[in-house]
Amino acid sequence: MKVLKFGGTSVGSAARMKDVAKLICDGEQKIVVLSAMSGTTNSLVEISEYLYKNNIAGAYERINALEQKYFDVIEDLYSTAEYKVEVKKELKSHFEYLRSFSKSVFTLFEEKAILAEGELLSTTIFQLYLKEKGENCALLPALEYMRIDKNAEPDTAFIAENLTKQLALQPDMMIYITQGFICRNFYGEIDNLQRGGSDYSASLVGAAVKADEIQIWTDIDGMHNNDPRFVEGTKPVPVLHFEEAAELAYFGAKILHPTCILPAKLNNIPVRLLNTMDPNAAGTMISNQSKKGKIEAVAAKDGITAIKIKSGRMLLAHGFLRKVFEIFESYHTPIDMVTTSEVGVSVSIDNAKRLDEIVNELKKFGTVTVDREMVIVCVVGDMNVENIGFQAKVVNAMSEIPVRMISYGGSNYNISFLIKAEDKKRALNALSAALFN
Ligand code: ASP
Ligand code: MG
């Protein structure tokens, strides 16, 4: 069985939904994971903001506008009056549900229930559309099988067991449609896998059914070898190792949510990135295989803060790094890059919310310097130690750029540089020129 995920833009209008239907109705059995129609989750966040502020009129205005948008989609999507009437009735109940929140206290719990509506709407509309077309299809309710545990980590055993049950309830369907993003938490409340989490859903579903392949359909032709917003002539990378893709996804390639990699990697299920606008394009194939001896791609992550702690006390001492890392841990701030010398350590973080408190505590251990507005540029490829000269080539390409930190050897797949934001475009172009042309 294959699992195919279509993002918000791919189901963003009646026309796009028709394209998706054409793509998936090929006589092969599959599970299709859908996001909310593009813009919907943002609208639901906005509606929640009005409800938090108890601005009922504001919330209703937004709900009504969203409802009208959906009614327009229905007019364009379905061809029979019978279906239009039935689906509108169904949608009305969802919008009545949204309006009902104005009568209760509004907390995070209610907000999560509201956010879940986006995927519930898109899947309902799409499944009924397939039904109208005469396809043999069914809805798999994600809230019945997708669950996170106390630590907000997916409960994979529960997911596999209950997804299997849901499939058995409606056997022999050609196409199963299910919601991305939404789940229940440990307490049985409606929750979600965080913004952009539909990719994660697809990967978890794929792992649960031991899929042959997970396909993530977007509107770009795969992961590019550099950021097309800053570099001209970038190209899709045909083949990536899971670890290379994870680095790229985390360090800026927006096409794939970084969390999506792990379940697929653990279960050795290839992930293919494909383009709904150009379905025959090769896209990017992510698996446990990598191309040997090749530098594949470059990505950049903005909004990085670098912190240097210099201390004579570090010299010949042990336990210094632990103390430093513990401070970051106690403020729930993950560290991205680390470089050390005998008298100091530099780290980078992308969440500077607790920076002042962290710096204040670090001052116990040494002299602290902070650099803001930094960027991590990450070069991904087969960086095995045996490949002599690879790091030299990459470092050479950066010869005109002031580099604050370099990280190499953390994995076999990447070299990262920390540079100033103002040098980002220059660095990305220099790397493309040296590595890919
Ligand atoms: N609809 C959710 C969001 O906009 C999840 C997703 O699209 O992946 O974040
Ligand atoms: Mg997305």
Side-chain angles (χ1 to χ4, degrees):
M1 182 113 82
K2 283 190 178 136
V3 174
L4 287 74
K5 179 258 170 178
F6 292 88
T9 356
S10 303
V11 292
S13 66
R16 300 299 302 271
M17 284 196 192
K18 289 180 188 178
D19 289 342
V20 172
K22 269 187 219 139
L23 254 169
I24 63 171
C25 298
D26 58 1
E28 264 188 56
Q29 196 185 36
K30 53 177 70 70
I31 299 178
V32 176
V33 178
L34 299 184
S35 289
M37 293 180 74
S38 54
T40 297
T41 311
N42 286 344
S43 296
L44 294 169
V45 168
E46 207 191 344
I47 289 164
S48 302
E49 281 163 2
Y50 282 112
L51 290 170
Y52 271 121
K53 297 190 170 72
N54 204 22
N55 179 351
I56 308 302
Y60 272 46
E61 201 184 307
R62 289 291 183 267
I63 295 170
N64 295 346
L66 193 62
E67 184 173 41
Q68 190 52 53
K69 198 178 124 183
Y70 275 83
F71 283 175
D72 293 345
V73 170
I74 288 174
E75 277 308 318
D76 296 341
L77 186 61
Y78 298 88
S79 45
T80 61
E82 183 197 339
Y83 264 85
K84 286 182 189 179
V85 172
E86 192 200 328
V87 182
K88 269 193 187 159
K89 221 170 89 192
E90 173 85 28
L91 289 201
K92 272 212 173 100
S93 70
H94 283 270
F95 286 96
E96 278 315 312
Y97 175 67
L98 287 179
R99 290 188 189 93
S100 74
F101 287 95
S102 62
K103 291 166 196 76
S104 58
V105 269
F106 201 78
T107 67
L108 189 60
F109 170 74
E110 281 77 22
E111 178 178 5
K112 284 176 172 168
I114 286 190
L115 292 196
E117 284 298 305
E119 273 70 13
L120 292 170
L121 284 166
S122 64
T123 48
T124 301
I125 294 172
F126 189 71
Q127 193 254 337
L128 288 170
Y129 170 61
L130 291 185
K131 229 175 120 191
E132 186 191 41
K133 279 166 52 88
E135 296 295 332
N136 188 20
C137 64
L139 264 186
L140 294 173
L143 296 179
E144 300 293 328
Y145 69 82
M146 193 55 82
R147 192 165 84 162
I148 48 176
D149 64 17
K150 269 188 184 158
N151 303 316
E153 292 294 331
D155 182 344
T156 48
F158 181 97
I159 297 167
E161 184 188 333
N162 288 279
L163 179 53
T164 309
K165 270 189 202 155
Q166 288 298 319
L167 286 164
L169 285 175
Q170 309 180 85
D172 305 324
M173 292 288 165
M174 207 41 126
I175 300 173
Y176 293 95
I177 310 287
T178 192
Q179 298 86 18
F181 179 58
I182 68 176
C183 64
R184 285 189 192 274
N185 59 28
F186 181 75
Y187 307 98
E189 300 156 352
I190 296 178
D191 212 316
N192 60 61
L193 302 174
Q194 310 285 327
R195 292 304 304 273
S198 293
D199 293 351
Y200 200 13
S201 303
S203 185
L204 291 167
V205 167
V209 301
K210 304 265 176 273
D212 312 315
E213 184 172 297
I214 297 160
Q215 298 181 349
I216 307 287
W217 288 82
T218 64
D219 47 8
I220 331 176
D221 46 359
M223 269 198 192
H224 275 229
N225 60 6
N226 207 327
D227 191 331
R229 290 168 301 179
F230 300 96
V231 179
E232 269 175 46
T234 63
K235 288 193 191 80
V237 184
V239 176
L240 282 174
H241 189 274
F242 280 122
E243 291 191 29
E244 295 171 328
E247 302 271 6
L248 288 176
Y250 176 72
F251 286 111
K254 286 279 177 307
I255 176 168
L256 184 68
H257 201 273
T259 52
C260 167
I261 308 287
L262 191 61
K265 183 184 150 178
L266 290 177
N267 293 280
N268 200 10
I269 302 171
V271 176
R272 206 185 272 277
L273 307 181
L274 293 160
N275 183 0
T276 36
M277 309 298 258
D278 185 4
N280 295 320
T284 298
M285 176 72 150
I286 305 165
S287 71
N288 272 322
Q289 238 102 58
S290 67
K291 272 231 181 96
K292 293 275 173 264
K294 201 161 173 256
I295 295 175
E296 298 287 3
V298 176
K301 190 170 171 68
D302 301 327
I304 305 292
T305 304
I307 305 157
K308 176 162 31 187
I309 308 107
K310 242 176 52 192
S311 167
R313 272 196 278 166
M314 189 174 164
L315 198 67
L316 301 174
H318 55 78
F320 183 82
L321 287 178
R322 177 177 52 77
K323 288 180 202 147
V324 167
F325 289 163
E326 265 172 7
I327 294 175
F328 287 89
E329 194 188 333
S330 66
Y331 290 103
H332 302 284
T333 301
I335 294 172
D336 287 330
M337 276 174 83
V338 185
T339 54
T340 64
S341 84
E342 208 37 71
V343 289
V345 51
S346 273
V347 303
S348 79
I349 58 173
D350 75 346
N351 179 354
K353 245 197 226 147
R354 314 289 297 271
L355 182 65
D356 292 344
E357 294 149 285
I358 291 171
V359 168
N360 201 28
E361 292 219 25
L362 287 173
K363 283 181 177 160
K364 282 193 278 194
F365 299 115
T367 318
V368 183
T369 319
V370 173
D371 293 307
R372 292 164 203 265
E373 313 242 346
M374 307 293 283
V375 170
I376 294 178
V377 171
C378 154
V379 181
V380 152
D382 179 11
M383 303 289 181
N384 201 300
V385 278
E386 257 76 82
N387 292 329
I388 294 167
F390 272 47
Q391 87 287 359
K393 208 168 155 189
V394 177
V395 172
N396 242 339
M398 295 285 282
S399 61
E400 302 291 315
I401 315 284
V403 175
R404 167 76 172 73
M405 288 166 73
I406 301 182
S407 173
Y408 171 70
S411 82
N412 281 341
Y413 298 98
N414 107 319
I415 304 181
S416 301
F417 298 88
L418 189 73
I419 60 170
K420 289 195 191 122
E422 64 200 58
D423 295 323
K424 169 175 158 180
K425 190 172 175 183
R426 222 152 46 91
L428 292 180
N429 278 284
L431 286 166
S432 255
L435 305 174
F436 308 132
N437 291 339

